[in-house]
Amino acid sequence: AQCAQESIYNLLPRLEEKPVKPPRYISTFRPSMKREVEKNKARWKTMGPAKVAVPSPKNFLQKHSKEPKLPARKKEQDSKKLPALSVPRRTDHPVMGIQSKKNFINTNAVAAITGLPKKPQPIYVDRRQGDKYLLETSGLVPKYIKKKDYGVTPKYVTQRNEEMKRAQKEYEAGILEHLKKRAMKQLSDEERRSLLQGLKKNWEEVYREFQGLSVEIDTIPKKIYKEKLESQMKQLEHDIEVIEKHKVIYIANE
């Protein structure tokens, strides 16, 4: 195997053969697409303007710049001002020369004698050793009975009652009309005659089938079929007898 690999031809340098690439594919619509893109696309449409205003380095964020600012402090002169007093000052002098002949003692005594005694305010207490509260503002006094519209039926209630009465009348009228449509009607002589003939014809067909039965009924299906025919014949005979007995027949409209 080693001898087979050694050969004089292997000593000669070999040229590497590079694979030839196929020609690049270029679409025939490339020039038209370029013209279409240049026509519809505006400058700076997606990338923005070429130059953007850069913020100044002097306008940097300072400490406590975003905290709420308090209003300016007033001057000390405003705080030194005293509030207006309701009593006269020591330096004020009373108005002199005004005199009154009214006897205030007698006037007050007469007013106290002739005046009506003051009525105590009604109060309530919620428990035995509780606080006192005014009764008038507690909501326990029925002040609503003094209103002008007390005891008067509201308008929306009367309107609703009228609507309910109207709906009830419409419902009753609809029921009466429905009953009139479904009222009984009388059969005419021709209809009665045709009905009677049809029943007799059905009886004859059932009787013909009954006569066609075998003489010996030895199986359950034959017995059931015979009972069925007998019941049909009895029902038909009953209907024929009723129609022949009553000349006037009423039926319901459906």
Side-chain angles (χ1 to χ4, degrees):
Q2 186 177 1
C3 296
Q5 292 179 359
E6 293 180 357
S7 176
I8 194 171
Y9 293 102
N10 294 336
L11 300 175
L12 297 176
R14 295 182 180 181
L15 297 175
E16 294 182 359
E17 295 181 0
K18 295 182 180 180
V20 181
K21 293 184 179 180
R24 182 181 178 184
Y25 173 76
I26 298 176
S27 176
T28 56
F29 301 100
R30 185 172 181 180
S32 60
M33 288 300 297
K34 279 187 175 182
R35 289 194 299 271
E36 190 72 19
V37 169
E38 291 176 359
K39 180 180 178 181
N40 296 331
K41 186 175 180 181
R43 295 181 64 190
W44 306 335
K45 188 172 183 180
T46 56
M47 300 301 294
K51 293 182 180 180
V52 181
V54 181
S56 176
K58 296 180 180 181
N59 298 332
F60 57 90
L61 183 63
Q62 298 180 359
K63 187 177 181 180
H64 305 295
S65 61
K66 292 189 176 182
E67 293 180 359
K69 296 181 180 180
L70 298 175
R73 189 175 180 180
K74 295 183 179 180
K75 296 181 180 180
E76 295 181 357
Q77 296 179 0
D78 298 337
S79 60
K80 289 181 180 179
K81 290 182 179 179
L82 297 175
L85 299 176
S86 59
V87 295
R89 298 179 182 273
R90 274 179 10 179
T91 57
D92 294 343
H93 299 282
V95 180
M96 306 299 291
I98 299 176
Q99 298 180 359
S100 177
K101 296 180 180 181
K102 182 178 179 181
N103 192 349
F104 290 96
I105 297 174
N106 294 338
T107 304
N108 294 338
V110 171
I113 295 169
T114 59
L116 296 174
K118 187 178 180 182
K119 292 182 178 181
Q121 290 184 343
I123 59 175
Y124 76 97
V125 182
D126 53 359
R127 58 175 183 251
R128 184 177 178 183
Q129 295 177 350
D131 298 330
K132 297 179 181 180
Y133 303 98
L134 292 176
L135 184 64
E136 185 178 0
T137 58
S138 64
L140 301 174
V141 182
K143 291 184 178 181
Y144 54 88
I145 60 177
K146 299 179 181 179
K147 293 182 179 180
K148 294 181 180 179
D149 55 349
Y150 175 71
V152 180
T153 307
K155 292 183 179 179
Y156 73 93
V157 177
T158 55
Q159 185 178 1
R160 184 176 61 184
N161 293 337
E162 291 176 358
E163 291 178 357
M164 291 175 63
K165 291 180 181 178
R166 193 183 307 111
Q168 184 67 23
K169 289 181 180 178
E170 292 178 357
Y171 175 71
E172 292 176 356
I175 290 176
L176 291 174
E177 186 177 358
H178 182 66
L179 292 175
K180 287 180 181 178
K181 289 181 180 179
R182 298 187 62 184
M184 306 295 285
K185 73 172 184 178
Q186 182 181 355
L187 284 178
S188 61
D189 295 338
E190 295 180 359
E191 292 176 349
R192 178 175 172 275
R193 195 180 301 110
S194 63
L195 180 60
L196 190 60
Q197 290 177 0
L199 290 174
K200 289 181 179 180
K201 186 177 180 181
N202 293 340
W203 184 88
E204 290 175 358
E205 292 178 357
V206 176
Y207 183 69
R208 190 180 300 110
E209 292 181 3
F210 183 77
Q211 284 182 337
L213 294 175
S214 61
V215 179
E216 186 178 357
I217 299 174
D218 52 353
T219 59
I220 295 176
K222 289 181 180 181
K223 186 177 180 181
I224 294 173
Y225 186 58
K226 180 184 177 183
E227 292 177 356
K228 180 182 177 182
L229 294 176
E230 287 177 353
S231 63
Q232 288 181 1
M233 289 171 63
K234 286 181 182 179
Q235 185 64 35
L236 289 170
E237 288 173 0
H238 179 266
D239 295 342
I240 291 169
E241 184 180 357
V242 170
I243 293 175
E244 287 180 348
K245 185 177 179 181
H246 302 87
K247 294 184 179 180
V248 180
I249 298 174
Y250 292 92
I251 60 173
N253 287 330
E254 295 182 359

